[in-house]
Amino acid sequence: MADKIVLVDTSILIDLFRKTDKANSALLFLVRQGYAYSISAVTEYEIYTGAALGQVNFWDSFLERTEVLPFDKTVAKVAVDINRELKRKRKLIDTADLFIAATAIANNLPFATLNRKHFDRIDGLSIIE
């Protein structure tokens, strides 16, 4: 059983979906490193809004086995603080990415993404390779 948990970004799930050989996906790499994983409710939203009709069964099956962390009052407060700091630096990011990062920070979880460009701007977000 995994001894550590990581919050994974939507990009990690899309990578899994697109790989013909799932064993070469970033998600399975994390699992082999001993990580269990969770996702943000915002990631679940992004997955379903981007899924074609023929992909929904795959995502239903995958997500029923995945812990989804809520966007709650604590996450909202963290998101406000992050947004305030990014605004001050003039380095704003997409709202969905902001909410996903806030979920990781609010739950004291490291974060895994294949899109570091925006997430590197966030102080206090521990991004794992």
Side-chain angles (χ1 to χ4, degrees):
M1 184 166 164
D3 57 355
K4 46 198 172 182
I5 301 172
V6 61
L7 187 81
V8 297
D9 183 33
T10 311
S11 63
I12 299 284
L13 299 186
I14 291 169
D15 174 67
L16 174 74
F17 178 78
R18 289 182 177 165
K19 293 276 189 206
T20 302
D21 183 0
K22 305 294 186 209
N24 290 329
S25 70
L27 183 64
L28 290 182
F29 176 79
L30 290 167
V31 169
R32 285 191 299 273
Q33 300 304 310
Y35 285 98
Y37 60 90
S38 297
I39 65 169
S40 164
V42 177
T43 294
E44 183 176 37
Y45 165 81
E46 286 187 319
I47 288 297
Y48 279 120
T49 58
L53 191 57
Q55 299 169 347
V56 171
N57 287 340
F58 173 87
W59 290 117
D60 285 345
S61 175
F62 179 84
L63 292 172
E64 76 182 19
R65 301 180 314 266
T66 302
E67 180 182 19
V68 179
L69 301 177
F71 184 85
D72 60 15
K73 193 172 196 159
T74 302
V75 175
K77 168 72 171 91
V78 170
V80 167
D81 292 343
I82 294 168
N83 194 58
R84 185 175 293 126
E85 182 62 18
L86 292 175
K87 213 182 259 189
R88 187 186 68 72
K89 294 178 184 178
R90 296 178 187 208
K91 294 187 175 203
L92 291 173
I93 63 172
D94 179 71
T95 302
D97 289 345
L98 173 70
F99 290 170
I100 293 167
T103 302
I105 292 170
N107 287 280
N108 297 309
L109 295 174
F111 183 66
T113 184
L114 297 176
N115 179 20
R116 290 188 68 131
K117 181 180 174 185
H118 293 143
F119 294 106
D120 278 338
R121 300 176 188 181
I122 300 172
D123 296 334
L125 182 63
S126 173
I127 301 175
I128 61 171
E129 300 292 327

